[in-house]
Amino acid sequence: MPDIIAPGLRVLFCGINPSLYSVVMGHHFARPGNRFWPTLHLSGFTTRQLSPSEQGELREQGLGITNVVDRATATADLLDKSELTEGARSLEAKVRRYHPRFLAVLGMGAYRTAFARPKAQLGLQEETLGTTRLWVLPNPSGLNAHYQLPDLARLYAQLRLAADTR
């Protein structure tokens, strides 16, 4: 799945890995039950709800998308620890190349495993990747029942406010 990326983005959103459905469709967060696109809009990152096929418009708004692991799976729990750890190393190199202001990792468990931060919490992290600040957000997958759309929008809006004021 090709990244949506450019130098100097405000926020580079980082999914865990693409779904099989997204790869077939050729767009990030393409599964109909995924709440990424509605969350971006409700949190104020976009002025209207984009569809996955409009993902290229994100760069114009200083936003991008990548993944910790490139390998597509039916569910993220099919990834093993070594894939996540190796993915974090590749992601770090990507971040150092493109210098986004914030890297938003979408998935607490994946972040904790990939970056060896077992006690990490949601929100701004103490560590950085070069000058890039790290922020952890809940995974917007429809399979993540712990967070409903209003919760996701509120948490993503906190990042938007930070990205807009920095």
Side-chain angles (χ1 to χ4, degrees), residues 9-11 45 62-63 101-102 135 156-166:
L9 295 171
R10 286 185 311 147
V11 178
F45 274 110
L63 307 173
R101 279 189 248 162
F102 286 91
W135 199 288
Y156 281 53
Q158 292 172 358
L159 169 59
R160 182 189 51 78
L161 290 171
D164 287 350
T165 59
R166 185 161 185 241

Side-chain angles (χ1 to χ4, degrees), residues 2-141:
D3 291 334
I4 307 299
I5 198 165
L9 295 171
R10 286 185 311 147
V11 178
L12 179 59
F13 292 98
C14 181
I16 300 168
N17 72 311
S19 70
L20 296 171
Y21 186 88
S22 287
V23 169
V24 168
M25 299 305 292
H27 306 296
H28 293 272
F29 303 104
R31 184 175 283 291
N34 195 293
R35 300 167 296 177
F36 178 77
W37 300 103
T39 299
L40 276 191
H41 173 60
L42 292 173
S43 64
F45 274 110
T46 59
T47 57
R48 65 180 178 83
Q49 185 173 321
L50 300 175
S51 70
S53 65
E54 297 173 302
Q55 66 186 15
E57 293 183 27
L58 290 177
R59 281 188 291 253
E60 299 164 13
Q61 298 175 50
L63 307 173
I65 304 174
T66 190
N67 289 291
V68 177
V69 175
D70 290 331
R71 182 172 74 91
T73 59
T75 59
D77 62 353
L78 296 174
L79 300 172
D80 63 36
K81 181 179 178 179
S82 66
E83 285 180 284
L84 290 165
T85 302
E86 178 57 35
R89 284 193 286 272
S90 297
L91 181 59
E92 184 172 348
K94 193 179 299 184
V95 165
R96 291 185 188 279
R97 178 178 176 196
Y98 287 98
H99 305 285
R101 279 189 248 162
F102 286 91
L103 174 68
V105 180
L106 310 182
M108 175 65 72
Y111 176 80
R112 286 175 173 169
T113 301
F115 289 89
R117 302 279 187 233
K119 295 183 180 184
Q121 297 298 311
L122 292 175
L124 183 64
Q125 304 302 298
E126 289 183 22
E127 61 273 4
T128 62
L129 294 178
T131 59
T132 299
R133 304 298 311 264
L134 295 173
W135 199 288
V136 178
L137 290 166
N139 187 328
S141 168

